[in-house]
Structure formats: structure tokens, C-alpha cells
């Protein structure tokens, strides 16, 4: 008897459309956070500056660019492994900056714990994308098929 996860049994709807659906469900958090940061740009910069974060405005612009471009690259499946790898490094850095803030007074500690846990979940999903790629319905797969025909 073959194991349930044998390659022959993974073909079909889930193996074909699963990665696309996963990317479409995953990317809005990145693109949505980037959009929220753009809308509240001055408020975000002021909040970061209050935490004495150096070059808060530049960091905010870089964050918006990484989240938006990375989310878009994941949606269309263009260089998804690279985008996922960059986002893993980004979220590891952001998460490590949050850890010291967990013990802050005024009840903000739990909000940071929630953000850290969310970021760890994002890192896990991004690692899967970095390892397995964007799947058969993506620009990456299309480029591979096109390169194989030449």
C-alpha cells in the first residue's frame, strides 16, 4: 500500500491550485499592511519616532516597499522564492526588534506578543514558499516552461 502523500496521489486540484490559493490568501496581509502604512504615513512616522527609532521615515518607506513588492511578487508568483526569502529576513529582523518591547508598561506587552506570534506564522508560511516555490500556476512556472521550449 502506497503512503497517502505519494507524488502520484498529490496530483489533481489541490496540487495544481493549492499553491495559487495559498498565495492569494497569504499576500493580502502584506499588501494590506503596506496600504495601511501609506494611508497613515505621518501617524506611523510619528509613532516610530516616539520610540526613538533612528531614521523612522526611511525605515517606514523601506517597510512599505518590501511588504508591497513582496506581496505582489507572491500574488503573481514572480521570483516567489526570492521574495519569500527576503520577507523571511525582513520579518526576522522586525520580530527581533519587537521582543524587547514585550515588557513595556501600560499593557502594550500583549499587543507585541500578538504581533510576534503573527510574524512567526508569516515566517513559517514564507519558508514554505521559499522551499517549494510558487507552484504550477505562477509566472515562475510559466518562465520555466518557456525556457524548456527553447
Amino acid at each position: 500500500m502506497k503512503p497517502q502523500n505519494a507524488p502520484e496521489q498529490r496530483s489533481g486540484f489541490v496540487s495544481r491550485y493549492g499553491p495559487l490559493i495559498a498565495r492569494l490568501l497569504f499576500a493580502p496581509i502584506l499588501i494590506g499592511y503596506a496600504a495601511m502604512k501609506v494611508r497613515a504615513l505621518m501617524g506611523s512616522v510619528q509613532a516610530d519616532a516616539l520610540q526613538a527609532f533612528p531614521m523612522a521615515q526611511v525605515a517606514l518607506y523601506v517597510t512599505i516597499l518590501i511588504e508591497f513588492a513582496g506581496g505582489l511578487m507572491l500574488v503573481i508568483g514572480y521570483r516567489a522564492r526570492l521574495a519569500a526569502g527576503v520577507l523571511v529576513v525582513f520579518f526576522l529582523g522586525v520580530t527581533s526588534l519587537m521582543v524587547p518591547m514585550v515588557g513595556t508598561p501600560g499593557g502594550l506587552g500583549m499587543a507585541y506578543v500578538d504581533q510576534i506570534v503573527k510574524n512567526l506564522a508569516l515566517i513559517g508560511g514564507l519558508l514554505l514558499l521559499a522551499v517549494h516555490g510558487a507552484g504550477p500556476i505562477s509566472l515562475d512556472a510559466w518562465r520555466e516552461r518557456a525556457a524548456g521550449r527553447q
Side-chain angles (χ1 to χ4, degrees), residues 22-48:
R23 291 191 336 263
L24 292 174
L25 292 173
F26 189 88
I29 195 166
L30 299 169
I31 295 169
Y33 276 132
M36 285 190 316
K37 286 178 180 87
V38 168
R39 282 192 296 139
L41 190 58
M42 291 316 296
S44 297
V45 171
Q46 291 167 357
D48 288 343

Side-chain angles (χ1 to χ4, degrees), residues 39-101:
R39 282 192 296 139
L41 190 58
M42 291 316 296
S44 297
V45 171
Q46 291 167 357
D48 288 343
L50 288 175
Q51 294 178 7
F53 192 73
M55 298 176 53
Q57 195 163 5
V58 173
L60 181 62
Y61 291 137
V62 170
T63 298
I64 290 168
L65 177 66
I66 290 172
E67 288 177 347
F68 184 77
L72 189 60
M73 289 171 76
L74 294 181
V75 165
I76 62 175
Y78 178 73
R79 299 197 184 265
R81 289 177 188 224
L82 173 65
V86 168
L87 286 164
V88 164
V89 171
F90 170 74
F91 279 112
L92 283 172
V94 167
T95 304
S96 67
L97 290 173
M98 285 184 195
V99 171
M101 296 182 221

